Amino acid sequence: WQEHFDRPLKEINGIPSDIALNVADFLKVYLSNIERQTVQKVSTSNPEAYQKFQLGNYYYYIKQDNSRLDIAIGFYKECIELDPDFTMAYIMMARCHMVKHWYRLDMTDKSLQESEKAIAAAFEIDPSLPIAQLVRGQLYYLGYRDYENALYHLEQARSLTPGNAEIIYFLGLVYRRMGKWQKAIEEMELAHAIDPESVAVIMNLTE
């Protein structure tokens, strides 16, 4: 499969959405209306903000230690200054703060409060965003260890995007923490079927 995507520079951020939809159509993968709308949403029309966002992602994913997470947070803050409606910048900033708490890099209440504040900002911009429900579920799981609320928000996220492997994977993690082993295995196996190359899913499924 190959295709050409020609866009003006200011519209370049929409190309990943176009590619995702074209691949889904080529493979005859069914996407619900909500899933299509989610894919089609362009995170920002500001090229500079998008560049800062990618830099933040680089530092978030390369290694999750305190210094790199702080650098990532700095880039996400710059994104928001350039585009206050950049929902994914809020989402990723929330993830940075909750990961710092989970790995005991910052065990203060402030890390959880900053994460909650960023998630609330994303919800205010777009209440229908499935990833905001996912990240709120992750906050209850990673931050508060409140598994009932984590389950609630993850199920809300799944109702919006039923085939999302990350959501199903986290549901498996929550069920495992709750001691519901069979349910945890079922969710992990489903996540693996959707995303068979996920190392995290494979490692947790075999534990």
Side-chain angles (χ1 to χ4, degrees):
W1 177 86
Q2 64 179 15
E3 186 59 82
H4 295 286
F5 296 90
D6 295 321
R7 297 287 187 280
L9 181 60
K10 66 180 181 180
E11 297 177 11
I12 197 170
N13 304 338
I15 289 179
S17 298
D18 291 344
I19 293 173
L21 290 174
N22 273 268
V23 170
D25 290 340
F26 178 78
L27 296 176
K28 295 182 171 55
V29 175
Y30 172 76
L31 295 177
S32 68
N33 288 335
I34 291 175
E35 287 172 322
R36 282 188 173 274
Q37 290 166 12
T38 301
V39 171
Q40 287 173 324
K41 286 179 181 175
V42 177
S43 51
T44 181
S45 59
N46 186 316
E48 187 179 354
Y50 188 72
Q51 184 180 42
K52 298 287 187 183
F53 179 71
Q54 295 299 343
L55 286 168
N57 288 348
Y58 171 79
Y59 282 99
Y60 175 80
Y61 287 109
I62 189 173
K63 186 179 180 181
Q64 292 178 335
D65 59 25
N66 207 41
S67 61
R68 288 178 176 83
L69 289 170
D70 282 340
I71 293 170
I73 289 169
F75 279 121
Y76 296 135
K77 285 181 177 178
E78 289 184 45
C79 292
I80 293 164
E81 289 174 4
L82 291 164
D83 182 356
D85 292 332
F86 194 167
T87 52
M88 284 305 300
Y90 291 103
I91 291 295
M92 292 305 298
M93 187 160 62
R95 281 180 160 169
C96 287
H97 286 295
M98 75 175 74
V99 165
K100 289 180 76 168
H101 189 88
W102 177 252
Y103 288 133
R104 299 181 179 274
L105 303 172
D106 182 353
M107 294 298 291
T108 65
D109 290 339
K110 183 181 177 182
S111 63
L112 299 182
Q113 291 167 0
E114 290 294 328
S115 186
E116 188 67 61
K117 185 167 70 174
I119 295 169
F123 266 111
E124 187 174 345
I125 296 164
D126 188 353
S128 67
L129 197 64
I131 196 170
Q133 289 285 4
L134 164 62
V135 174
R136 180 155 279 170
Q138 290 172 330
L139 176 60
Y140 279 110
Y141 171 71
L142 298 172
Y144 298 119
R145 276 66 163 179
D146 180 343
Y147 305 125
E148 290 292 344
N149 270 314
L151 199 60
Y152 171 79
H153 287 287
L154 290 169
E155 287 290 4
Q156 290 292 309
R158 174 148 73 175
S159 71
L160 297 170
T161 52
N164 186 301
E166 185 180 10
I167 295 169
I168 297 166
Y169 163 66
F170 267 90
L171 280 165
L173 293 178
V174 172
Y175 280 122
R176 186 176 67 181
R177 288 279 177 171
M178 297 172 78
K180 298 182 179 181
W181 302 107
Q182 186 56 41
K183 190 68 176 171
I185 292 170
E186 289 172 3
E187 299 290 10
M188 286 289 183
E189 287 179 341
L190 179 55
H192 179 60
I194 296 169
D195 186 5
E197 295 184 3
S198 170
V199 174
V201 173
I202 293 169
M203 288 178 63
N204 280 278
L205 186 57
T206 55
E207 283 185 355

